[in-house]
Amino acid sequence: MTEGTGWAVLVLPLALTAFALLALAADAVVEVRVAHARRSVAAAAADPWREVARLLVGQRRTTVAADGVLWRSGVVTVPLAALLAALVLPLGGFAAADPGVGIVWFNAMEILGWAALWTAGWGPNSPLSLIGGYRFVAQGMCYELPHMFALITAATGAGTLRVGGIVDAQAELWFVVWMPVGFVVYLISAAAMAFWGPFDAPLGRDLSGGVVAELSGVDRLVLLTGRWLLVVVAAGMAVPLFLGGGRGPLLPAWLWTLVKTALVLTFLLWSRRRFPTVRMERFTEVSWLVLLPLTILQALIVALVVLV
Amino acid sequence: MALNPADADLVVVAGPLTHRFTEPVERIWRQVPRPRAFVRVREHEVGDRLDTASVVLSRGGEHEDGGGEVPNGLVMADRGTDRDGLALDRLHVPLGPLLPNWPAGLVVHTTLQGDVIQHAQVDPPDEVGVGEDFWRWPWWPAGTGEEITSGGVARIRLVELLDALGRLFAVAGWLDVAVRAGVLRDFLLEGAESAWVRRRLLRLITRVRRSRTWWWLTAELGEHRHSVVGDVSTRCSAWLNEMERIVVDLDSTESVPLDGLGSGDRSVPVSPQRVLPELLEGTEFASARLIVASLEPWRSPDEVGSPGGVDD
């Protein structure tokens, strides 16, 4: 795998943002159809741009007795965590970095997102925002253990924590084929780590927006962009972990990576519309009593196959 | 529509601004970031007013100086033992009267520890119920000697149920279905063709019924032995059953005798204040919102289980 800093600084943020904008536009078009709005598809596809412009000119607001430092640093850390996690994301044969502990790095940056959302929720001194922060911590407790076992299973199958190595290990057989449980759990946790889809309680409508309830203008733009970046990165990581990386017939590797990422992203967009928000009060039971044992079993089977 | 003042550009007050809402609306306006605009509309002028507002906004908005910081109704936290006997911070947070997908005018004063509601108290409702006039509209012609048809009655009841369901789904974060319910409600109000409505409505009902996630998430929520029937999921199910039953009446031109409108006497909005505190205490915030949304705000709790309600 080729590494490059120029890649990291220039191409990666742009590529991720472009991908997120495309997904946003697609989602806006679907929304118009659902809402039976009398608008053209082109107008709907331009919605994300209009929203960006609106937030850029909007006034930044503050609240009474807010903890400004915590609040703003939490907001900025959301996109930062997404970009840092994306450093180990390979596009075809290239990656910004391919360290020997790539998987651990990805996992650590995603946990940085917990801290980010928690402080962003705590900062404005507003009850609804604070509850949003609480919710994400509870969510982390639920999804993280099965998620880690899913990551470990892929690493065990390849015998390395290096993302490039995991892609190489799938030359003959994609991991999704013999680690289906790991893959499914990864998809669930991908939504959960980006507080996305059915796991969007931290930004819930019942909380009038939760963590983003008090955010306006550019602050709001930064956090919401960070969330879209997190979704794209989480979807993108499924490709090297379980879907054979850039492998595929005819098309070049980078294109295959994009196609596969788009498919995973489409699934995440679909599941957000398909399911109501899952409350952790109910999901904990499923997560700890069903998903966790299943992922451990999956890891055990993979370990035995690798040993024998 | 914005979920919070922070995300809003435009504050629209539709209809009369009663005493109860003056202060909350002012508070919301002060929290809206600039550029912003404030509009008051009465019936039949919605389109014009909104066009004016969008012009104002495009010119940089109305720079009205609200002056100073917003007291956001947040009392300093104190301490108290929680359900596990731990001393935790207590926040006193009023919910309502203006909250998205919340019965307009309802105010519940809550004491929160974390996201658990330890104590809830409901404000007495205004003497004139909010929304009361609107929901009485199939009976408007009653005084004028015009005929009331059972099709018209079915239509308004469907609108009412779709409104309630839309609120419930929105609070549950099931936006796709909430939007679909809202679209159907609006088309019904505009007088859409009943065959089209029926087809869409039945599709919606089927989708909700088939969602195992939905029933799993709402089961055993908001149960009360005496005052209300079932839990959130059975109340939702009752609404679906009722819609399915009355949607066939949409075309009916059969006239409804005036004395048959006893059950339609909604002039006295019976507040949910008697049951709500008991139902809400000890629940988590998300569950509490679902419980509130599963009760029809302007029907009495005793009515919830009556023929309009549960259908076995």
Side-chain angles (χ1 to χ4, degrees), chain A residues 143 147 185-196 230-231 234-235 268:
Chain A
Y143 86 81
H147 173 66
V185 167
Y186 181 83
L187 286 183
I188 293 174
S189 51
M193 78 173 78
F195 35 102
W196 183 264
L230 268 175
V231 174
L268 290 175

Side-chain angles (χ1 to χ4, degrees), chain B residues 172-184:
Chain B
W174 206 6
L175 203 54
D176 200 57
V177 180
V179 169
R180 283 170 204 271
V183 168
L184 265 176

Side-chain angles (χ1 to χ4, degrees), chain B residues 288-312:
Chain B
R289 289 295 311 260
L290 286 169
I291 291 167
V292 171
S294 75
L295 298 166
E296 284 183 84
W298 312 121
R299 300 183 100 199
S300 82
D302 319 313
E303 245 186 287
V304 174
S306 70
V310 170
D311 193 27
D312 293 310

Side-chain angles (χ1 to χ4, degrees), chain B:
Chain B
M1 214 165 69
L3 283 179
N4 42 61
D7 193 27
D9 305 307
L10 184 61
V11 176
V12 182
V13 176
L17 191 55
T18 57
H19 173 67
R20 180 170 218 163
F21 287 96
T22 317
E23 202 264 323
V25 166
E26 233 167 67
R27 197 188 295 174
I28 282 179
W29 169 245
R30 284 200 304 261
Q31 293 186 58
V32 175
R34 294 180 182 88
R36 59 185 182 177
F38 188 97
V39 185
R40 284 197 64 175
V41 285
R42 284 165 194 88
E43 256 181 295
H44 309 306
E45 47 175 42
V46 180
D48 295 347
R49 288 297 172 115
L50 293 186
D51 287 345
T52 318
S54 80
V55 171
V56 171
L57 270 180
S58 67
R59 289 181 188 151
E62 171 195 349
H63 288 264
E64 193 197 89
D65 281 322
E69 291 291 82
V70 188
N72 52 4
L74 184 60
V75 186
M76 283 300 286
D78 59 1
R79 290 271 170 98
T81 47
D82 81 336
R83 55 185 177 187
D84 299 323
L86 299 165
L88 291 178
D89 278 359
R90 261 196 311 224
L91 285 177
H92 302 283
V93 181
L95 301 179
L98 295 171
L99 199 61
N101 304 304
W102 176 265
L106 178 68
V107 180
V108 181
H109 297 275
T110 62
T111 303
L112 290 172
Q113 282 184 321
D115 72 340
V116 177
I117 293 178
Q118 297 293 11
H119 182 74
Q121 191 193 332
V122 181
D123 266 3
D126 274 0
E127 281 174 22
V128 180
V130 183
E132 168 215 344
D133 280 353
F134 182 77
W135 295 121
R136 278 175 62 189
W137 71 252
W139 291 278
W140 284 350
T144 66
E146 242 180 90
E147 206 182 33
I148 305 167
T149 64
S150 53
V153 174
R155 192 170 279 262
I156 188 62
R157 181 64 186 146
L158 280 176
V159 167
E160 198 176 22
L161 285 169
L162 281 166
D163 199 54
L165 276 168
R167 200 181 309 134
L168 179 62
F169 294 142
V171 164
W174 206 6
L175 203 54
D176 200 57
V177 180
V179 169
R180 283 170 204 271
V183 168
L184 265 176
R185 174 201 59 195
D186 294 348
F187 274 98
L188 269 169
L189 277 173
E190 284 174 15
E193 188 211 346
S194 47
W196 185 88
V197 169
R198 191 173 307 139
R199 211 169 45 240
R200 295 236 142 209
L201 188 71
L202 293 178
R203 208 182 299 159
L204 184 78
I205 292 173
T206 312
R207 173 162 175 199
V208 176
R209 280 199 184 135
R210 280 193 188 153
S211 170
R212 273 190 238 163
T213 325
W214 173 249
W215 303 114
W216 166 61
L217 285 170
T218 51
E220 291 158 38
L221 212 61
E223 281 177 312
H224 191 283
R225 209 179 317 161
H226 304 298
S227 49
V228 291
V229 171
D231 49 22
V232 172
S233 68
T234 46
R235 293 198 280 273
C236 172
S237 172
W239 286 348
L240 296 177
N241 292 342
E242 189 184 347
M243 289 204 303
E244 193 178 41
R245 198 176 57 238
I246 64 176
V247 72
V248 293
D249 293 338
L250 265 183
D251 280 330
S252 165
T253 50
E254 197 183 314
S255 103
V256 178
L258 278 182
D259 55 358
L261 293 179
S263 63
D265 178 21
R266 287 143 208 267
S267 54
V268 186
V270 186
S271 78
Q273 74 186 95
R274 274 187 295 135
V275 262
L276 265 186
E278 272 186 80
L279 284 173
L280 297 188
E281 274 162 27
T283 60
E284 275 152 48
F285 195 90
S287 313
R289 289 295 311 260
L290 286 169
I291 291 167
V292 171
S294 75
L295 298 166
E296 284 183 84
W298 312 121
R299 300 183 100 199
S300 82
D302 319 313
E303 245 186 287
V304 174
S306 70
V310 170
D311 193 27
D312 293 310

Side-chain angles (χ1 to χ4, degrees), chain A residues 35-36 54 59 61 64 125 134-135 205-208 213 215-216 220 273-277 279 281-282, chain B residues 3-4 6-7 9 31 33-34 70 74 172-174 176 183 200 207 213 216-217 219 285-287 289-290:
Chain A
H36 270 266
R54 182 181 81 92
Q59 182 191 21
R61 61 199 283 283
V64 177
N125 190 25
Y134 285 142
R135 283 187 180 174
R205 287 185 81 81
D206 60 324
L207 286 180
S208 294
L215 287 173
S216 70
R220 190 182 188 86
R273 297 191 168 276
R274 186 74 187 73
F275 301 105
T277 298
R279 302 195 309 283
E281 157 215 356
R282 298 268 152 120
Chain B
L3 283 179
N4 42 61
D7 193 27
D9 305 307
Q31 293 186 58
R34 294 180 182 88
V70 188
L74 184 60
W174 206 6
D176 200 57
V183 168
R200 295 236 142 209
R207 173 162 175 199
T213 325
W216 166 61
L217 285 170
F285 195 90
S287 313
R289 289 295 311 260
L290 286 169

